[in-house]
Amino acid sequence: MDEAAPARSRPYHHGDLRRAVLAAAAEAIEESGPAALSLRELARRAGVSHAAPAHHFGDKAGLLTALAEEGFDLLAGTLAQARERTGSLLETGLAYVRFATTHPAHFEVMFHPDLYHPDDPAVVAARARATAELQSAIGTLPDPPTGRRARVTGLAAWSIAHGFATLWQSGAIPPDAGTDPTELGRAVLRRLIDRD
Amino acid sequence: MDEAAPARSRPYHHGDLRRAVLAAAAEAIEESGPAALSLRELARRAGVSHAAPAHHFGDKAGLLTALAEEGFDLLAGTLAQARERTGSLLETGLAYVRFATTHPAHFEVMFHPDLYHPDDPAVVAARARATAELQSAIGTLPDPPTGRRARVTGLAAWSIAHGFATLWQSGAIPPDAGTDPTELGRAVLRRLIDRD
DNA sequence: TGTACATCAGTGAACGCGCGTTCACTGATGTAC
DNA sequence: TGTACATCAGTGAACGCGCGTTCACTGATGTAC
């Protein structure tokens, strides 16, 4: 993680401190959870003075709001891509699981609205995009349901994918059940979707 | 919340401080999440000096270990009762959902092992009891599976119940989907269990 | 192409605060005789 | 029934620490002319 030009001293302007702090936050949360997070620690990780992060995010909740927004955006993109590429609800559900395992900090924060400003317009919009994406994946089923039935089906798919991802992330699933979350997740989700 | 005998000053010995601190912790976590928890605040809530809680639990992780143990014990009891009374996997799953909504603080802590000492023997035993209870509920199915098939079925039921409970708790489910978690949960779980 | 100036990102010293931890103590309870 | 003593729950003063926040500042960048 050394600088490309080690002789040159740190420039006064970071260049992209906002992104750097967000990345540092995700890293720190992966290591010790959101409870231990402090703006001063993120400043240290980003190599800037301790007051710099507040310049961009105001306070911790502001920072986590930005992280949640980024997470919902990434998730919406991931789900859209999976649906377009495979046209399969099962595979879209697995993309959800994979998102949770590859972005554990974002995932953790996104679903703990007491950590951030859940009514922030940007995060509301990003969340709506992800939810719509998930719901529209129901349309890929062979005989797609409509109305209330469609909503319950969507909620069931969301629940099983979310539950499996959460349990996996928390280490609650005994390791002898499997070592690859996608593989085990496929077996689990198949109990609900594309049964044979 | 006044004392029964308000004239009498607080006795030197609390009498049941351990339970009082655990209850105060659950209350505080419901209000502001585990991140904001402090032993001094719990002492204030329990009406004792700030150093008293440490006397019983050592530190915050010790306290949350006790809370997780209590949670897994309560959950195991709830699941056992539901299974014995109804003999139904669906109803046992709904008991899981109901546990999460009635004990949100316990539920939150139990599945965040980075908050406590997950290898503590008491908590390991309590967790094993709850897991075994859940798995044995699979045996109530009309044509109960065995071996790996049984484990995947159990994991699927656990995932959908856990996912629904988690999403409900976090407020992620839009309120127009339903106002009673048991009712909506029944519709959702029925997509996996006891389909008609 | 050059100069002046506005804007803004980041600095660093200072502050007050709530926290966990320590420790000698005090008051209550239970048990031995 | 009474006394002595051990045990243990809870006290309260003291401490050092990392935190968020404030604020006058400095250095870099971009734009107007």
Side-chain angles (χ1 to χ4, degrees):
Chain A
M1 301 288 182
D2 284 331
E3 294 284 343
R8 188 127 24 101
S9 74
R10 282 262 153 66
Y12 191 92
H13 280 172
H14 180 283
D16 204 359
L17 184 54
R18 199 188 138 89
R19 293 192 67 80
V21 170
L22 280 174
E27 218 178 77
I29 291 170
E30 279 178 42
E31 286 169 24
S32 351
L37 199 70
S38 88
L39 292 184
R40 285 179 105 111
E41 191 204 342
L42 300 185
R44 260 175 255 128
R45 285 183 190 244
V48 292
S49 83
H50 66 261
H55 207 290
H56 287 274
F57 299 105
D59 56 11
K60 210 194 292 189
L63 163 72
L64 293 178
T65 303
L67 200 71
E69 184 202 339
E70 190 179 62
F72 281 115
D73 256 336
L74 282 166
L75 177 59
T78 299
L79 295 180
Q81 205 183 341
R83 180 173 55 87
E84 284 161 18
R85 216 185 43 218
T86 68
S88 149
L89 178 58
L90 182 71
E91 290 302 324
T92 307
L94 288 174
Y96 189 100
V97 171
R98 234 175 283 120
F99 171 81
T101 56
T102 52
H103 300 82
H106 287 86
F107 191 72
E108 171 79 11
V109 172
M110 286 156 68
F111 293 100
H112 283 92
D114 50 321
L115 293 173
Y116 60 95
H117 304 306
D119 296 333
D120 177 276
V123 88
V124 167
R127 189 191 295 115
R129 249 172 281 141
T131 306
E133 205 48 64
L134 204 73
Q135 193 59 41
S136 88
I138 297 301
T140 65
L141 285 175
D143 189 8
T146 57
R148 173 158 176 82
R149 223 182 135 70
R151 257 184 294 142
V152 171
T153 301
L155 193 46
W158 189 12
S159 292
I160 199 167
H162 188 83
F164 179 77
T166 307
L167 290 172
W168 182 274
Q169 271 319 106
S170 74
I173 295 174
D176 64 314
T179 55
D180 175 16
T182 299
E183 201 187 325
L184 183 56
R186 182 172 280 118
V188 167
L189 266 59
R190 234 202 276 274
R191 286 295 139 95
L192 180 74
I193 307 162
D194 298 349
R195 293 178 160 195
D196 41 351
Chain B
M1 301 290 183
D2 285 331
E3 294 283 344
R8 189 128 22 101
S9 73
R10 283 262 153 65
Y12 192 91
H13 280 173
H14 179 284
D16 204 359
L17 184 56
R18 199 189 137 88
R19 293 192 67 80
V21 170
L22 280 174
E27 219 178 77
I29 291 170
E30 280 178 40
E31 287 169 23
S32 350
L37 199 71
S38 88
L39 292 183
R40 285 179 105 113
E41 189 203 343
L42 300 184
R44 262 176 253 127
R45 286 183 190 244
V48 292
S49 82
H50 67 260
H55 207 289
H56 288 274
F57 299 104
D59 57 10
K60 209 193 293 188
L63 163 72
L64 293 178
T65 302
L67 200 71
E69 184 202 340
E70 191 179 61
F72 280 115
D73 256 336
L74 282 166
L75 177 59
T78 300
L79 295 180
Q81 206 182 342
R83 181 173 55 88
E84 284 160 19
R85 217 184 42 220
T86 67
S88 150
L89 177 59
L90 181 70
E91 291 303 323
T92 306
L94 289 174
Y96 188 101
V97 171
R98 235 176 281 119
F99 170 81
T101 56
T102 53
H103 301 83
H106 288 85
F107 190 72
E108 170 78 11
V109 172
M110 286 155 68
F111 293 99
H112 283 91
D114 50 322
L115 293 173
Y116 59 95
H117 303 305
D119 297 333
D120 177 277
V123 87
V124 167
R127 188 191 295 117
R129 249 172 281 139
T131 307
E133 205 49 66
L134 204 74
Q135 193 60 41
S136 88
I138 296 301
T140 65
L141 285 174
D143 189 8
T146 56
R148 170 155 177 86
R149 222 184 135 69
R151 259 185 293 140
V152 171
T153 302
L155 193 46
W158 189 12
S159 292
I160 199 168
H162 188 83
F164 179 78
T166 307
L167 290 171
W168 182 273
Q169 272 318 108
S170 74
I173 295 175
D176 64 314
T179 56
D180 176 15
T182 300
E183 201 187 324
L184 183 56
R186 182 172 281 115
V188 166
L189 266 60
R190 232 202 277 274
R191 285 295 140 94
L192 181 74
I193 309 160
D194 297 350
R195 293 179 158 194
D196 39 351

